[in-house]
Each structure stands twice: as C-alpha cells, then as structure tokens.
C-alpha cells in the first residue's frame, strides 16, 4: 500500500482558529497512525491579508499542540514557477485559456445571469478565442459544460455536482498570482499528497479541483470533508462563543494533550471513550470514525477534560508548562517548598495550569494576605489560644512528618478542649489566607517549619491587633 501523505495548508491571515487546528490534528494523527507523512504548507498567495505574524502564530500553535511536520513549511509565494509550468501545460493542452474581459464586463455578465434566474457566472466570451497572453489577462479553466463530477467523499459519501453549474473559473489572476483552487491542486500533486481532510466549507471547491487533476492527468487524492465546529447555538464557532484561537487556550493554562484530545473528539469517536492520551490517539485514530454531524465546542467540557489531563500527567512533566504561570506571580520554584510536593497537592484541585499557579502562591509567598471573609470568620480572638498552643507544639517538633503533626494537633485539641475543625480552620487561614486548601497536614509539612511558625505568629499578632 502507498504511504499516506496528508497535509495542512493554512492561510496566514490571522490567528489559528480551533476549527482549523482540528483539521490539522486529523491530518497529523492520520499520518502518524498510518506511519505516513504530514506536510505543512503556508498558503500565502493573498498578499494583502497574509502576514508574517500570522505565520509565526501558526508555527507557535502547532508546536504547542505537539504537531510536527515531515515536510515543509512550503510557501506558495515561493512556488510561482511551478504553477506557471503547469499553467503552460494546461494552456497547451487546451484546458485553459487567456481571458481579457474587464471586471466591469464580468460584473455585467453576472448581473445578466442573475436577472434570468441563474447563478452569477462567466459567460465564456473568451473561451474559444485562443487569445495570447497580454497584460492583466487572467487564465481560465475550460470547464466541461455537460455531465457530472462526483466527489467520493470518505466522510460524507458521494456528492454529485452538475458540471453546467460550474463556470470557467480563474486559475491565475491578472497579476500572475494563482487562485486557491489552482495552487492547492498543483501543490498537492507535486507534494505527493494523497489524502485531503479539510473543512466542508471547501466542498464546493472540490469538483473544480478534481477537474484540474483530470486535466493534468494526475490521480485524485482521497477527499474527506469534515463538518464545521459549531458553538452551542449551532452557528459556526466564533468569538461570540468564547476564545477561538489555539494560543488563547495555551495562555489560559490548558495542556496541549487535553486540547488535542478535545479537538479530536469534536468530530471523531471511538466508542464512547472521552479521555485519550496522545499515544493512544495515534494508535486508534482512523478516518472511518470521523462523524458526519458537526461538533459543538463546549468550553466547559474542555475545562473538565483539561482537569483530567492535569490529573493524569506525571508531576515532573507539569513543571515546564506550569512555570510561565508561576513566573507571572513572581514565584521562583527554586526558592521555597519542594515543587514536586506542591504540584502533587494541587493536581486534583486544578482545572487549568493558571488555576494551579494561583493556588500555589501561598506555598511560596513571603507574606500571606488574608481574604477578607476568611479573616473575619476565623481569625478571631477565639482562635488565639489554639493557635498559640499549636505554635508551641510545633516549635518543639523536629522535622515535620504526618505522624508528629497529627500528634501536635492532638495535643492542642486536648489542651484546649477544641475539635480539630476549630483549630484547623484558623490555622488554614493563617497559612494560606483562604478557607479552602489541600489537607492541613500536607500543607504544613510542605510549607516547612520556619514559614509555618512565622505565619502562625503573624496571624496571632493580627488577632491581637484586632483586640487592641
Ligand atoms: N488555505 C485553505 C484554508 O485554509 C486550505 C484549504 C484546503 O485544505 O484545501 O482554508
């Protein structure tokens, strides 16, 4: 069997939309699953709208998602000679011709066609004139006027197009720049792409592309058109629904594996399994199970999946992605409690890395700020005695262990006649500033003796200050 070669050809005109990223993911996974190749091509022929910044964002987004490519990046603007070569062949073989109709004339044709109830189209004025190349002349494809073109779509099934619906579409514009339909075909042919999975917003283009393949006698690739990603209101997923760029999710603290997992599940299924590791996806991904109905992007589902991925990721692997979020809070994990232990306590409680970094602040902070309500409720005169007793107990302990911390709390309970909760809650506020945190013994042992005692003393002063 021939080696599978897939591709991702984004147009660099803005950020990388999650819908487009999903197309990249499908093609990449399929190539990896089939031990084939994945080609990256930048479709930058729209010179007005293409920017270097958008190209950089594409690389950044793919790298973050862990999508690597075997060939490319190719740039269409650097391949004009190749398109010209094929164009010459098409003109020579009578499949394409120069057209000198002016934009005004074309506009008039379109209006006329619409006035008589048809689709706006080119009327074929230059089709049989055999015109020579002149300045600003465009090249049109001589499309068949009868018969049908059938797209054998591996996702949607056969889609039949009437050829008389197609007009003689433009291959190369007056400025020498190829149109999308022409460049994409020549690229896919010359890059040996044999599997094209893309958004179904392109399905109308596919018959035109098939005609070009036929005209240059090249075998067709396998086509599969995936339904668009929708928002909850079932319109195309856009800013109105939430963040749409891949990098926005990176910046919000999502894990690339979670994003990958979510994007795949938006249009593909494997029984009712929701959680997949990257390797598992490479193992089981196939085209057959890409669905025909549109996936609805649900930010809450993604968030829950991200939490599951955080939980499943080995702690050491979280250091690197977490670190930019910690840095934002001025946290240097070299200075302070053991990061491994810190992350372990936060993993089950974090939905995003951003969330995890926020929760980590108290471990590293030199100075704890109390949440107002937490302080009001728990840092009250009634807490003075248990906090003082506990501080005395802790001061005489050697290294903190779960066992001796438990003993210290027990002794405090005995001396004060209070239940654990009455002691633990004010202590928690003293140590974290908040009423919720990982287990009290855990955080005490991670924060370490010196910091714990100094925080308890500070809280005692705080309460005494209230008194005074
Ligand atoms: N540049 C096109 C796009 O981004 C590529 C479409 C295709 O995959 O053929 O929509």
């Amino acid at each position: 069997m021939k080696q599978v070669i897939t591709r991702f050809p984004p147009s660099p005109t803005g950020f990388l939309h999650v819908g487009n990223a999903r197309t990249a993911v499908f093609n990449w996974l399929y190539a990896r699953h089939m031990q084939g190749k994945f080609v990256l091509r930048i479709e930058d022929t729209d010179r007005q709208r293409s920017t270097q910044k958008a190209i950089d964002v594409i690389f950044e987004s793919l790298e973050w998602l862990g999508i690597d490519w075997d060939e490319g990046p190719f740039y269409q603007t650097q391949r004009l000679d190749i398109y010209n070569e094929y164009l010459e062949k098409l003109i020579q073989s009578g499949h394409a011709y120069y057209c000198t109709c002016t934009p005004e004339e074309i506009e008039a044709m379109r209006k006329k066609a619409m006035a008589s109830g048809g689709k706006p189209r080119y009327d074929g004025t230059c089709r049989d004139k055999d015109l020579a190349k002149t300045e600003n002349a465009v090249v049109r494809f001589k499309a068949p006027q009868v018969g049908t073109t059938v797209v054998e779509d591996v996702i949607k099934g056969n889609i039949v197009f009437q050829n008389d619906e197609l007009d003689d579409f433009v291959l190369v514009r007056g400025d020498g720049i190829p149109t999308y339909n022409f460049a994409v075909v020549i690229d896919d042919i010359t890059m040996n792409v044999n599997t094209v999975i893309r958004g179904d917003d392109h399905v109308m283009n596919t018959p035109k592309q098939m005609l070009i393949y036929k005209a240059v006698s090249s075998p067709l690739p396998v086509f599969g058109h995936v339904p668009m990603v929708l928002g909850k209101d079932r319109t195309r997923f856009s800013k109105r629904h939430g963040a749409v760029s891949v990098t926005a999710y990176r910046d919000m603290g999502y894990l690339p594996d979670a994003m990958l997992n979510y994007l795949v599940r938006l249009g593909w299924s494997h029984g009712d399994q929701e959680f997949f590791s990257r390797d598992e996806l490479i193992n089981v991904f196939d085209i057959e199970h890409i669905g025909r109905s549109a996936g609805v992007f649900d930010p809450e589902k993604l968030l829950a999946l991200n939490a599951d991925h955080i939980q499943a990721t080995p702690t050491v692997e979280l250091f690197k992605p977490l670190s930019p979020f910690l840095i934002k809070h001025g946290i240097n994990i070299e200075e302070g409690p053991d990061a491994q232990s810190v992350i372990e306590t936060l993993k089950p409680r974090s939905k995003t890395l951003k969330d995890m970094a926020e929760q980590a602040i108290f471990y590293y902070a030199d100075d704890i700020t109390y949440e107002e309500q937490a302080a009001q409720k728990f840092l009250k005169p009634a807490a003075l005695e248990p906090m003082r007793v506990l501080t005395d107990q802790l001061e005489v302990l050697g290294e903190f262990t779960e066992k001796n911390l438990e003993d210290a709390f027990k002794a405090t309970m005995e001396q004060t006649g209070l239940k654990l909760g009455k002691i633990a809650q004010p202590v928690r506020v003293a140590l974290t500033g908040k009423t919720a945190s990982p287990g009290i013994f855990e955080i005490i042992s991670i924060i370490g003796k010196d910091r714990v005692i100094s925080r308890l003393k500070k809280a005692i002063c705080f309460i005494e200050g209230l008194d005074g």
Side-chain angles (χ1 to χ4, degrees), residues 7-11 20 23 41 43 180 184 188 196-199 201-202 209:
R7 59 14 164 221
F8 179 55
S11 305
N20 259 346
T23 310
R41 178 169 76 230
E43 303 210 324
Y180 155 71
V184 82
D188 285 340
V196 171
I197 306 169
R198 64 182 165 207
D201 50 338
H202 281 292
Q209 296 177 12

Side-chain angles (χ1 to χ4, degrees), residues 369-396:
T369 329
Y370 308 127
E371 280 179 7
E372 206 177 304
Q373 283 192 347
Q376 258 171 25
K377 188 152 180 217
F378 295 107
L379 298 185
K380 293 189 299 202
L384 269 179
E385 199 207 346
M387 295 238 275
R388 283 186 186 132
V389 175
L390 182 73
T391 309
D392 292 343
Q393 293 284 342
L394 295 179
E395 271 184 318
V396 297

Side-chain angles (χ1 to χ4, degrees), residues 104-299:
E104 293 74 28
E105 285 166 337
I106 306 267
E107 193 46 41
M109 287 173 206
R110 292 165 162 253
K111 283 204 176 121
K112 201 172 146 201
M114 286 203 290
S116 55
K119 280 193 186 164
R121 59 186 319 188
Y122 178 66
D123 70 1
T125 299
C126 297
R127 186 173 165 110
D128 296 313
K129 285 190 182 163
D130 204 11
L131 295 174
K133 180 177 182 177
T134 46
E135 208 183 326
N136 291 330
V138 304
V139 181
R140 290 186 180 273
F141 185 74
K142 206 180 255 185
Q145 291 168 320
V146 291
T148 56
T149 300
V150 183
V151 179
E152 290 175 13
D153 189 296
V154 282
I155 298 164
K156 292 182 182 288
N158 285 3
I159 312 168
V160 180
F161 291 87
Q162 301 298 327
N163 289 340
D164 62 8
E165 295 261 306
L166 305 171
D167 65 355
D168 285 355
F169 55 91
V170 174
L171 298 175
V172 172
R173 298 189 188 91
D175 58 4
I177 301 295
T179 56
Y180 155 71
N181 278 318
F182 181 48
V184 82
V185 170
I186 304 311
D187 283 338
D188 285 340
I189 291 173
T190 49
M191 292 169 194
N192 299 316
V193 169
N194 51 26
T195 310
V196 171
I197 306 169
R198 64 182 165 207
D200 66 4
D201 50 338
H202 281 292
V203 79
M204 299 301 291
N205 288 317
T206 307
K208 296 182 189 168
Q209 296 177 12
M210 288 170 64
L211 293 171
I212 303 176
Y213 275 96
K214 201 169 151 202
V216 298
S217 307
S218 282
L220 289 175
V222 168
F223 287 109
H225 293 89
V226 289
M228 296 283 97
V229 174
L230 304 181
K232 275 193 179 153
D233 59 1
R234 303 202 68 84
T235 62
R236 192 170 175 182
F237 185 62
S238 71
K239 273 190 189 135
R240 284 182 301 118
H241 302 106
V244 284
S245 73
V246 171
T247 45
Y249 287 91
R250 174 197 63 193
D251 299 343
M252 286 189 284
Y254 286 79
L255 284 176
D257 283 17
M259 194 70 197
L260 188 83
N261 183 167
Y262 187 68
L263 290 177
V264 178
R265 281 289 294 111
L266 265 183
W268 169 89
S269 58
H270 185 68
D272 48 18
Q273 186 175 341
E274 294 288 350
F275 184 98
F276 294 86
S277 71
R278 182 175 293 262
D279 289 343
E280 218 176 348
L281 284 173
I282 292 175
N283 265 327
V284 298
F285 184 79
D286 56 4
I287 298 189
E288 291 89 88
H289 292 91
I290 295 178
R292 287 185 187 193
S293 52
V296 172
F297 196 99
D298 179 348

